[in-house]
Amino acid sequence: MFLSACATIQTPAPPHKSPQIDLSALSRPDLLLALHHCGIANSLACTHIHLALANSYLNSSSLNKTTLDNADRELDLAAQNQKLALQTRSLRRVVRALLENQILLQQYKSRLQQSQLQTQTALKEAHTAETRLHQLESLLQHHAEKTLKTPDHRVP
C-alpha cells in the first residue's frame, strides 16, 4: 500500500452525509488540505482527491518533467482504490510514456549540444589550419619570387 497524506485513523463519513464537492474547482493547496480529512488512504474519497491533484498537474501551463512526475505519483496514489485503478490505467500509461519521452528528449538535446560543440571546435580548427596554410603559401610564394629575382651565382 502506498503512503499518503491521508489520515489513516479516521474512518470515512457515510456517503449520504458527505457533501459532494467539485474537486476540479479546488486549488492544489485546498486539495492537499482535503487529503488530511478524507479518511483511509485507499478510500474512494482520498483516491478521488489524488486523481484531482493529478489532473491539476496535467492541466498546468507547462507539462515538464516535474509536473509529469507529480501527476504520475498522484495517479499511483489514486490507483490504491481498485475502482480508480481500472479507470485510470490508460491515463497512467500515457503519463509514463510522456515521462519516457521527456527523458529521451533531454538525452537528444544533450547529444545535440555536444555535437554542436564538436562542430564548433572542428570549424575553429579548420579555420586555424586554413590560416596557417595561407601563411605558408604566402611564405613559399615570397621565397619563390625572391629566388627568381636573385641571379644564380653558381653558373659560370
Side-chain angles (χ1 to χ4, degrees):
M1 181 187 299
F2 292 99
L3 297 177
S4 71
C6 303
T8 56
I9 297 174
Q10 297 176 346
T11 57
H16 65 279
K17 290 184 180 179
S18 62
Q20 293 297 329
I21 300 171
D22 181 17
L23 295 174
S24 64
L26 295 177
S27 66
R28 279 188 210 146
D30 290 336
L31 288 169
L32 292 171
L33 183 61
L35 279 176
H36 293 287
H37 307 288
C38 66
I40 59 173
N42 64 350
S43 71
L44 196 56
C46 285
T47 55
H48 273 292
I49 294 170
H50 287 296
L51 181 59
L53 279 165
N55 284 326
S56 79
Y57 287 118
L58 293 173
N59 291 323
S60 66
S61 60
S62 65
L63 276 181
N64 56 34
K65 187 173 180 328
T66 303
T67 56
L68 288 171
D69 279 336
N70 289 339
D72 185 49
R73 185 188 73 246
E74 292 299 336
L75 286 169
D76 280 344
L77 291 170
Q80 292 179 93
N81 181 282
Q82 289 296 323
K83 181 179 177 184
L84 282 182
L86 294 173
Q87 291 176 359
T88 61
R89 181 182 294 154
S90 60
L91 182 58
R92 286 182 286 144
R93 285 181 184 155
V94 169
V95 169
R96 289 195 179 116
L98 286 171
L99 277 168
E100 288 174 14
N101 284 340
Q102 285 282 336
I103 292 168
L104 291 174
L105 179 63
Q106 189 59 39
Q107 290 171 348
Y108 172 76
K109 285 180 179 179
S110 177
R111 286 193 311 262
L112 180 63
Q113 186 178 24
Q114 184 180 20
S115 177
Q116 287 172 336
L117 288 173
Q118 289 173 344
T119 300
Q120 289 173 352
T121 302
L123 286 172
K124 286 178 185 177
E125 289 173 358
H127 178 70
T128 302
E130 187 178 10
T131 301
R132 181 74 177 135
L133 179 62
H134 285 305
Q135 290 172 345
L136 290 173
E137 286 175 344
S138 177
L139 182 62
L140 181 61
Q141 185 178 8
H142 177 69
H143 182 69
E145 287 173 359
K146 185 177 175 183
T147 304
L148 290 175
K149 290 180 182 177
T150 307
D152 193 335
H153 296 289
R154 292 182 290 169
V155 180

